[in-house]
């Protein structure tokens, strides 16, 4: 039987990521990602039954809303302002 990770690797488009995939997608550790979610810097997950899944589009928007080096945090929208 094929593993979920093997199947996902072959998909042309991915809509949702688990916690480890989401943290890796934005380039931080899972612990840092948890902090960003609790600070509302990153979106909260969607639920599929009890499984937590992060929306790829929401992660992308949240990432684009992060300040650039030298830019004040207040100068950028939060991801929630955009969606």
């Amino acid at each position: 039987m094929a593993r979920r990770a093997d199947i996902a690797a072959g998909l042309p488009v991915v809509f949702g990521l688990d916690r480890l995939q989401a943290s890796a997608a934005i380039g931080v550790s899972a612990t840092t990602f948890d902090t960003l979610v609790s600070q509302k810097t990153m979106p909260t997950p969607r639920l599929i039954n009890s499984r937590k899944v992060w929306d790829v589009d929401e992660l992308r928007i949240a990432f684009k809303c992060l300040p650039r080096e030298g830019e004040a945090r207040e100068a950028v929208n939060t991801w929630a302002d955009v969606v």
Side-chain angles (χ1 to χ4, degrees):
M1 179 175 279
R3 294 179 341 164
R4 182 176 20 158
D6 295 332
I7 294 168
L11 293 175
V13 177
V14 175
F15 297 102
L17 302 174
D18 67 24
R19 176 178 165 263
L20 292 176
Q21 292 168 327
S23 61
I26 67 162
V28 298
S29 70
T31 304
T32 298
F33 183 74
D34 292 341
T35 301
L36 294 171
V37 171
S38 69
Q39 294 172 340
K40 308 238 185 277
T41 303
M42 287 290 136
T44 54
R46 302 204 175 249
L47 294 176
I48 302 173
N49 296 324
S50 62
R51 183 173 165 74
K52 295 178 181 180
V53 180
W54 276 264
D55 183 305
V56 172
D57 295 326
E58 290 176 357
L59 286 171
R60 184 175 286 116
I61 291 167
F63 184 81
K64 293 287 191 178
C65 288
L66 292 172
R68 295 179 184 276
E69 185 174 8
E71 183 177 45
R73 176 76 190 146
E74 297 76 32
V76 260
N77 290 325
T78 66
W79 76 272
D81 295 333
V82 178
V83 291

